[in-house]
Amino acid sequence: MNFSSKLLEHAVEEFGKLPGVGKKTALRLVLHLLKQSDAEVGRFTQSIDKLKQEIKYCKTCFNISDMEQCEICASVKRDHGLICVVEDTRDVMAIENTNQFNGVYHVLGGLISPMEGVGPADLKIEGLIDRVKTGNVQEIILALSATMEGDTTIFYLYRKLKEFDVQISTIARGISFGGELEYVDEITLGRSIATRVPYERNVS
Amino acid sequence: MNFSSKLLEHAVEEFGKLPGVGKKTALRLVLHLLKQSDAEVGRFTQSIDKLKQEIKYCKTCFNISDMEQCEICASVKRDHGLICVVEDTRDVMAIENTNQFNGVYHVLGGLISPMEGVGPADLKIEGLIDRVKTGNVQEIILALSATMEGDTTIFYLYRKLKEFDVQISTIARGISFGGELEYVDEITLGRSIATRVPYERNVS
């Protein structure tokens, strides 16, 4: 692109580094910001700077938080003996939205991925082991993506955790609720037949 | 969404104000930035702040520029008697990319759009008239979008400019080069038959 301004080119370059944002989209976003008032642009950039500088991670579950301990870990209404292990804060938000879970979380901050150079040491696994060691944890739910990275991480965590006196479970996999059989992919359908459950369990 | 942090929520809100960026995308972009180093996030926000604070608009053509006069208007190699009128800086970039135009530009900063409350006074039309009044302009090319807003603006500019001794033209409309007839929309095809040109003109 032939930019008429180095400042413009530089800002478009920076926007283009965001995931899923190409050069043309970056230019559109930058020109949009340029049309806004000084105050509005200031609010935009300050919200990011402030987030980056002041954000904290809960010392217990490592979820993003404004305080040393997140609201969920600080709540006495939650079951602290039930820990749901997730990849990142988006998963916490998704599970909280279901209103089906009353335990607490543990945010790994990623999944084991040799392809991307992410090993167990890059994740908050030690913190999870420490929580289990206290002896107050009854069950750990591994709520990770049903991908290669998710399965690798589940396997690694299972091997680390099985020596402790704690129940380890994974979230159920199968066809979606409301899903029509003819549209389900082969692997999911095949696996959900192989891992069929007694009718009584599904209606409980 | 249940945000675990007000700082995070605020940054996602600000990102969500960008055109075409929904809440989920905004969250993905903010979490991506949060994973980057302080220096990288600083470069991102500073590139925007600096652009907003220091950007100039060329005093002649109103294109975005780092100086009082843009490189194109300052160049002695360009034909200053030929002005191409465009909506915004993206159109200048697109036309410059063709390497087919050696004149100069005039950036209106928008199109007349009663629906969006944009009238002629909101655009850089007076500046264009002033340039024509100097008497050094031979031709004005109205290179605006083939939309209702573009046509309205062309009609308005034509009425304003016709009293001056200057040739007024619009860019050619018709089927795309390389376009197959069966995929051309009806209006374009119909209009390109109605506005057919002698064969000699098309090969010149």
Side-chain angles (χ1 to χ4, degrees), chain B residues 128-142:
Chain B
L128 178 61
I129 308 289
D130 290 343
R131 290 173 79 177
V132 174
K133 274 183 183 160
T134 62
N136 299 324
V137 182
Q138 282 88 50
E139 184 178 352
I140 291 184
I141 305 173
L142 303 174

Side-chain angles (χ1 to χ4, degrees), chain B residues 19-192:
Chain B
V21 179
K23 275 251 166 153
K24 282 208 167 180
T25 305
L27 179 59
R28 192 160 51 89
L29 297 180
V30 170
L31 290 179
H32 170 85
L33 279 175
L34 206 49
K35 274 193 180 174
Q36 308 308 305
S37 71
D38 284 356
E40 280 170 306
V41 174
R43 268 202 298 278
F44 176 79
T45 56
Q46 278 157 32
S47 74
I48 301 159
D49 284 332
K50 212 169 139 70
L51 173 72
K52 184 65 186 169
Q53 284 155 21
E54 300 181 13
I55 198 71
K56 293 182 183 69
Y57 292 89
C58 172
K59 65 181 181 191
T60 309
C61 74
F62 300 100
N63 192 13
I64 288 172
S65 171
D66 291 343
M67 292 155 294
E68 292 290 312
Q69 191 169 43
C70 75
E71 277 181 32
I72 294 172
C73 285
S75 167
V76 291
K77 288 182 182 166
R78 311 286 297 218
D79 180 356
H80 292 263
L82 178 60
I83 298 179
C84 182
V85 178
V86 293
E87 180 182 348
D88 68 18
T89 192
R90 273 177 291 185
D91 302 324
V92 174
M93 289 165 68
I95 294 173
E96 283 298 288
N97 265 338
T98 67
N99 287 318
Q100 293 290 314
F101 181 68
N102 193 41
V104 292
Y105 294 92
H106 192 87
V107 180
L108 293 176
L111 294 174
I112 296 171
S113 170
M115 292 282 284
E116 290 178 33
V118 182
D122 300 312
L123 309 179
K124 302 296 182 190
I125 293 175
E126 279 308 308
L128 178 61
I129 308 289
D130 290 343
R131 290 173 79 177
V132 174
K133 274 183 183 160
T134 62
N136 299 324
V137 182
Q138 282 88 50
E139 184 178 352
I140 291 184
I141 305 173
L142 303 174
L144 303 179
S145 296
T147 57
M148 183 118 81
E149 289 79 12
D151 285 345
T152 307
T153 312
I154 287 174
F155 184 65
Y156 182 88
L157 289 175
Y158 176 73
R159 299 229 317 194
K160 278 272 176 185
L161 293 168
K162 69 178 179 186
E163 61 176 289
F164 299 101
D165 180 25
V166 61
Q167 166 87 33
I168 302 168
S169 44
T170 60
I171 53 172
R173 292 178 185 183
I175 63 168
S176 297
F177 288 85
E180 293 186 51
L181 278 206
E182 59 189 301
Y183 297 117
V184 177
D185 69 282
E186 288 167 22
I187 295 174
T188 301
L189 189 54
R191 295 276 303 159
S192 63

Side-chain angles (χ1 to χ4, degrees), chain A residues 1-2 4-6 8 14 19 27-28 30 32 34 36 38 45 49 51-52 64 66 90 93 97, chain B residues 1-2 4-6 8 19 27 30 32 34 36 38 45 49 51-52 55 64 66 90 93 97:
Chain A
M1 288 200 234
N2 288 312
S4 59
S5 150
K6 287 273 165 210
L8 179 66
E14 287 295 327
L27 179 59
R28 191 160 51 88
V30 170
H32 171 84
L34 206 50
Q36 308 308 306
D38 284 355
T45 56
D49 284 332
L51 173 71
K52 184 66 186 168
I64 289 171
D66 292 343
R90 273 177 291 185
M93 289 165 67
N97 266 338
Chain B
M1 289 202 235
N2 287 313
S4 59
S5 150
K6 286 274 165 211
L8 179 66
L27 179 59
V30 170
H32 170 85
L34 206 49
Q36 308 308 305
D38 284 356
T45 56
D49 284 332
L51 173 72
K52 184 65 186 169
I55 198 71
I64 288 172
D66 291 343
R90 273 177 291 185
M93 289 165 68
N97 265 338

Side-chain angles (χ1 to χ4, degrees), chain A residues 125-184:
Chain A
I125 293 175
E126 279 308 309
L128 178 61
I129 307 290
D130 290 343
R131 291 174 78 177
V132 175
K133 275 183 185 161
T134 62
N136 299 325
V137 181
Q138 282 87 49
E139 184 178 352
I140 291 185
I141 304 173
L142 303 175
L144 303 178
S145 295
T147 58
M148 183 120 81
E149 289 78 14
D151 284 346
T152 306
T153 311
I154 286 174
F155 184 65
Y156 183 88
L157 290 174
Y158 177 73
R159 300 228 317 194
K160 280 272 177 185
L161 293 168
K162 68 178 179 184
E163 62 176 289
F164 299 100
D165 179 27
V166 61
Q167 165 88 33
I168 302 168
S169 44
T170 60
I171 53 172
R173 293 177 185 184
I175 63 167
S176 298
F177 288 84
E180 294 185 49
L181 277 206
E182 59 187 300
Y183 297 118
V184 177

